[in-house]
Amino acid sequence: QGADLSGARMIRFRVRGDGRKYTVSMASTGMTIPRSVLFDAGAEWKEVAIPFSAFAGVDASAVTMIGFNAGPQPGDYRFEIADVRLVDR
């Protein structure tokens, strides 16, 4: 059963890392492949805001997964996330 996140319009978080690109992914009930959006993780902390509309096909009233991912190439990765929020603006 998915979580009803329909009161939110975007995900906001702070990130820093090794300068590489990473993804935040989201899926909802009935989806077999999550939708992913790229973000950069530079050396300094920065805020990233991604509207739910960027996750095409995700039903915000039935979210089953939100994930932060590295890859797909093998290797060492380093990123930190903080202050993850689901907000309406």
Side-chain angles (χ1 to χ4, degrees), residues 2-60:
D4 184 356
L5 304 181
S6 59
R9 296 207 186 284
M10 68 176 55
I11 183 168
R12 288 184 188 263
F13 55 94
R14 292 174 30 88
V15 64
R16 72 176 174 184
D18 55 13
R20 297 171 85 173
K21 292 191 180 299
Y22 293 90
T23 61
V24 60
S25 301
M26 190 179 296
S28 58
T29 302
M31 294 181 75
T32 56
I33 301 173
R35 303 303 187 257
S36 299
V37 176
L38 284 171
F39 64 89
D40 295 314
E44 301 298 321
W45 283 105
K46 75 171 186 176
E47 184 170 271
V48 175
I50 303 172
F52 281 6
S53 61
F55 301 94
V58 172
D59 178 357

Side-chain angles (χ1 to χ4, degrees), residues 52-87:
F52 281 6
S53 61
F55 301 94
V58 172
D59 178 357
S61 70
V63 174
T64 56
M65 186 274 298
I66 297 174
F68 295 86
N69 309 289
Q73 297 79 18
D76 295 329
Y77 294 89
R78 186 189 64 77
F79 73 103
E80 300 172 78
I81 58 170
D83 195 25
V84 178
R85 294 170 279 144
L86 303 173
V87 297

